[in-house]
């Protein structure tokens, strides 16, 4: 067993120990990719890589949940300043070098530490105190090497334990617990211009920008993938495809007896999920999501038929591409479903939602009024411009297999009542509210296309961060600390 660290390490020294520990972990856990990746992400955010923290986090955001940060760096998918790009590539190369070094025949702890120091040009970057800490690490490494029996391999895991033990002891011996210390003030971010967007806009990208510019930056500038490959996203894709095909064959609920409709919908769901089988992480996950979809499909069909019986209608559009020019800015999107009332010819715009949606019509209306949701207003204007008489907007929840499908439905009226706290799923929305959303869409499109984009401030609404995919990468959010040296 190697000796442990002295118990009086300061925060900078602890940071260095954590960095070295993470790099050792990458070598130790090469066989457990996720664990290795967690360590790589922490190391990427350490101050020894030469990367500004904002760039490290942009790389992490672009990597999403599954992709390795090294792969994101290799793909060059994050626009970085030249120095940052060089530092990022050096980091990725260093991970490779370190993994190779650990596997080399007869490598010693001291040699491994030297590889770390060389890979990151560490010695030049450390201050006096950190250098002393690194010297202590070297002494520990030398002690570890001296105790090894001939033929024994360098045991990095044991070395990591010694570091961790020393770090924990330091933590305990401090009179003020780490958690209660005031956070160090963050240095202000440098402005980082990004290319202007002369392109098509989507209502959802503008909604993201309106809700949190930083999230928009992660999603659309870094090309970060929102929840890449998650079972939730494949569930949504498979369900949408199945409904598109189902309504292509059955645009009306009276086109066949209920049992035939059910069998057909089950078949389309089965085929669609089968198509995505390989995308789910495990076969158990696939099976769970497929069954969830089949149960939700039953509820969906019940609603579809009941609604038809109450007011017969025909599905006239599925995954309909919509385009709209708003004051010279091009918008595009796809409407999941368009229903035309048999008696009046009025059209309902239907959007399927396999994720979370507002719980009541008033809550959705509130999002439109706060100018953070443009999807249904955009579909309204796009289909009206295409000649439809759109009178109703609907969000159909397809997430919860345990609940009846109860869509959020808003009838479009010239002026709606003042907003209330009603929990009803049906309500009204004023044309004036939709017009305001349209004006805001143009304003945001102009901001994205014409104005310099240099800063991406975070939202000031903390509730927007609750389910943000990029929370881990966002410097304004408390980063999930899996750093075992910090606790
Ligand atoms: S965590 Fe919050 S502030 Fe950060 S990107 Fe997400 S929504 Fe914006």
């Amino acid at each position: 067993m190697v000796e442990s660290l002295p118990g009086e390490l300061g925060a900078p020294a602890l940071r260095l120990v954590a960095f070295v520990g993470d790099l050792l972990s990458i070598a130790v856990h090469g066989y457990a990719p996720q664990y290795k990746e967690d360590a790589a992400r922490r190391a990427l955010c350490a101050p020894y890589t030469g990367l500004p923290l904002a760039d490290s986090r942009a790389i992490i955001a672009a990597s999403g949940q599954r992709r390795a940060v090294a792969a994101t760096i290799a793909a060059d998918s994050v626009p970085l300043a030249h120095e940052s790009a060089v530092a990022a590539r050096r980091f990725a190369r260093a991970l490779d070098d370190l993994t190779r070094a650990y596997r080399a025949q007869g490598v010693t702890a001291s040699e491994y530490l030297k590889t770390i120091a060389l890979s990151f040009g560490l010695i030049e970057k450390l201050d006096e105190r950190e250098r002393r800490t690194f010297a202590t690490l070297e002494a520990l490494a030398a002690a570890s090497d001296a105790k090894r029996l001939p033929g024994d391999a360098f045991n990095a895991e044991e070395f990591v334990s010694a570091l961790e033990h020393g770090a924990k002891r330091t933590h305990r011996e401090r009179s003020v617990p780490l958690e209660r210390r005031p956070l160090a003030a963050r240095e202000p971010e440098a402005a980082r211009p990004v290319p202007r967007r002369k392109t098509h806009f989507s209502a959802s990208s503008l909604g993201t920008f309106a809700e949190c510019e930083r999230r928009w930056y992660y999603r659309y500038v870094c090309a970060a993938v929102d929840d890449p490959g998650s079972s939730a996203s494949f569930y949504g894709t498979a369900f949408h495809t199945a409904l598109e095909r189902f309504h292509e064959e059955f645009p009306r609920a009276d086109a066949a007896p209920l049992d035939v409709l059910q069998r057909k919908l089950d078949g389309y769901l089965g085929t669609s999920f089968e198509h995505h089988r390989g995308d789910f992480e495990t076969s158990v996950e696939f099976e769970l999501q497929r069954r969830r979809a089949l149960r939700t499909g039953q509820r969906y069909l019940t609603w579809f038929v009941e609604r038809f019986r109450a007011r017969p209608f025909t599905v006239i559009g599925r995954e309909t591409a919509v385009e709209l020019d708003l004051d010279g800015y091009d918008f595009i999107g796809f409407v999941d479903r368009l229903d035309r009332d048999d008696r009046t010819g009025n059209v309902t715009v239907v959007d399927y939602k396999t994720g979370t949606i507002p719980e009541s019509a008033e809550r959705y209306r509130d999002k439109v009024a706060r100018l953070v949701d443009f999807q249904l207003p955009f579909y309204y204007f796009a289909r009206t411009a295409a000649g439809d008489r759109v009178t109703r907007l609907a969000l159909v929840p397809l997430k919860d297999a345990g609940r009846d499908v109860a869509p959020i439905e808003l009838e479009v009226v010239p002026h709606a009542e003042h907003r209330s706290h009603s929990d009803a799923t049906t309500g009204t929305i004023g044309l004036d509210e939709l017009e305001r959303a349209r004006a805001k869409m143009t304003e945001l499109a102009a901001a994205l296309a014409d104005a310099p984009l240099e800063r991406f401030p975070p939202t000031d609404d903390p509730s927007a961060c609750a389910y943000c995919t990029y929370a881990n990468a966002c410097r304004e959010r408390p980063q999930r600390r899996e750093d075992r040296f910090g606790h």
Side-chain angles (χ1 to χ4, degrees), residues 212-215 218 458-459 464-465 468-471 474 476-477:
C212 177
E213 293 182 25
R214 183 162 297 249
R215 191 195 291 174
Y218 287 141
T459 176
C465 307
C468 176
T469 312
Y470 311 111
C474 176
E476 299 304 322
R477 306 301 312 156

Side-chain angles (χ1 to χ4, degrees), residues 1-4 140 143-144 147 157-163 165:
M1 183 68 172
V2 296
E3 306 297 325
S4 65
L140 285 174
S144 167
K147 288 182 182 173
E157 197 156 11
E158 188 179 88
F159 197 72
V160 169
S161 299
L163 301 186
H165 177 71

Side-chain angles (χ1 to χ4, degrees), residues 25-26 29 32-40 42 482 484:
S25 294
I26 290 166
H29 295 281
Q34 185 48 48
Y35 195 86
K36 173 180 170 177
E37 180 59 18
D38 288 347
R42 286 193 298 268
E482 289 166 341
R484 52 201 190 135

Side-chain angles (χ1 to χ4, degrees), residues 147-192:
K147 288 182 182 173
R148 278 169 53 205
L149 297 172
D152 276 0
F154 155 45
N155 187 338
E157 197 156 11
E158 188 179 88
F159 197 72
V160 169
S161 299
L163 301 186
E164 193 178 20
H165 177 71
K168 274 184 184 157
R169 189 148 59 93
T170 296
H171 186 176
R172 274 199 306 275
E173 286 168 8
R174 289 176 173 199
S175 51
V176 183
L178 274 177
E179 298 80 22
R180 290 196 212 140
R181 290 169 169 237
L183 290 171
R186 294 183 172 118
E187 78 259 21
E189 278 180 322
R192 283 167 195 284

